[in-house]
């Protein structure tokens, strides 16, 4: 049973999301025949803040099992510090295969200095809208991990969501460890929108 206070926090976040989506569409001239208010209302009344996503591979062990996991992903209208933080597990567009998506942990954002383990390489600072993502599995070599150590910085705008829950099997599932700020924000979303039976029905394992 979701408490009234949780519902209120959820609705506030849903309203904020609807505003961001409406403004994003308006700026991209996607809102033509409808007013901005109508577009925001449609998102608020019919839209969900989450969607299911399947991921498989050893790059994100132990957070996501090698055999794969069904993820509950919180959709992000804009990938900026308001919505995403260092430490979050994010879904982003594959920088080398535009039709694919990756799941990696956000390790650094614009303004952060990056230092290579190779002493021959000079430190560099991430530029505006750039971020650095890494695989969780530290036992993998960079080429196997396929993260920013291979393809370099990626655009924050390529981030489409934050993973908030992982179902590895019907008996092994739970919230994922993101930044403390994001986990606090996602708590009411989890309480309202999480449906473990639905995740299990979509599970490919």
């Amino acid at each position: 049973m979701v408490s009234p206070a949780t519902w209120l926090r959820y609705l506030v976040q849903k309203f904020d999301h609807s505003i961001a989506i409406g403004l994003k569409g308006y700026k991209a001239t996607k809102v033509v025949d409808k007013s901005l208010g109508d577009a925001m209302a449609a998102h608020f009344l019919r839209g969900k803040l989450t969607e299911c996503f399947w991921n498989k591979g050893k790059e994100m062990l132990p957070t996501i099992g090698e055999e794969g996991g069904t993820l509950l992903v919180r959709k992000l209208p804009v990938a900026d510090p308001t919505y995403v933080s260092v430490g979050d597990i994010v879904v982003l567009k594959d920088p080398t295969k535009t039709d694919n998506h990756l799941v990696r942990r956000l390790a650094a954002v614009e303004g952060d200095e990056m230092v290579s383990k190779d002493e021959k390489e000079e430190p560099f600072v991430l530029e505006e809208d750039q971020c650095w993502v890494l695989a969780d599995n530290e036992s993998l070599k960079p080429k196997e991990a396929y993260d920013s150590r291979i393809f370099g910085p990626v655009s924050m705008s390529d981030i489409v969501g934050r993973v908030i829950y992982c179902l590895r099997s019907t008996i092994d599932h739970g919230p994922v460890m993101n930044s403390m700020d994001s986990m606090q924000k996602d708590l009411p979303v989890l309480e309202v929108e999480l449906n473990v039976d639905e995740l299990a029905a979509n599970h490919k394992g």
Side-chain angles (χ1 to χ4, degrees):
M1 184 72 177
V2 181
S3 71
T6 297
W7 266 108
L8 180 59
R9 293 197 302 272
Y10 169 76
L11 291 174
V12 167
Q13 292 195 43
K14 195 172 184 183
F15 182 69
D16 177 67
H17 182 95
S18 301
I19 291 175
I21 286 288
L23 289 173
K24 184 178 180 181
Y26 183 76
K27 290 176 182 177
T29 68
K30 293 179 182 177
V31 181
V32 180
D33 297 323
K34 293 183 178 181
S35 69
L36 179 60
D38 288 342
M40 291 188 296
H43 281 289
F44 181 78
L45 294 173
R46 296 194 296 269
K48 291 183 68 176
L49 297 181
T50 60
E51 60 185 345
C52 291
F53 184 85
W54 169 256
N55 181 259
K56 184 176 182 179
K58 54 187 177 182
E59 295 87 355
M60 292 302 292
L61 284 171
T63 306
I64 302 170
E66 185 174 353
E67 297 304 314
T70 302
L71 313 177
L72 187 65
V73 177
R74 179 168 181 173
K75 295 178 282 188
L76 299 175
V78 184
D80 63 25
T82 307
Y83 292 97
V84 67
S85 302
V86 169
D88 291 350
I89 297 179
V90 296
V91 177
L92 68 150
K93 298 174 185 176
D94 187 327
T96 62
K97 301 175 184 177
T98 54
D99 293 336
N100 292 348
H101 286 81
L102 302 174
V103 177
R104 297 292 184 268
R105 194 176 293 275
L106 184 63
V109 294
E110 62 178 73
D112 290 343
E113 184 177 69
M114 307 303 298
V115 180
S116 174
K117 292 182 179 179
D118 187 344
E119 295 179 358
K120 297 178 182 179
E121 294 183 14
E122 293 290 329
F124 64 95
V125 176
L126 292 176
E127 298 178 0
E128 183 178 358
D129 189 47
Q130 286 187 334
C131 65
W132 194 264
V133 295
L134 296 173
D136 269 6
N137 190 346
E138 296 180 356
S139 67
L140 296 180
K141 296 177 181 178
K143 188 175 182 179
E144 296 173 316
Y146 187 59
D147 55 25
S148 285
R149 291 171 294 175
I150 294 298
F151 48 69
V154 294
S155 172
M156 288 285 286
S157 59
D158 286 340
I159 295 175
V160 298
R162 175 171 57 245
V163 181
I164 62 176
Y165 199 91
C166 176
L167 185 141
R168 290 166 286 273
S169 72
T170 54
I171 59 172
D172 181 14
H173 54 86
V176 302
M177 184 63 67
N178 288 314
S179 66
M180 291 302 297
D181 184 54
S182 293
M183 291 182 73
Q184 285 293 323
K185 290 178 181 177
D186 295 334
L187 189 58
V189 179
L190 267 176
E191 291 196 38
V192 173
E193 294 195 6
L194 175 63
N195 185 329
V196 176
D197 290 337
E198 181 181 350
L199 287 178
N202 286 297
H203 191 63
K204 299 178 183 180

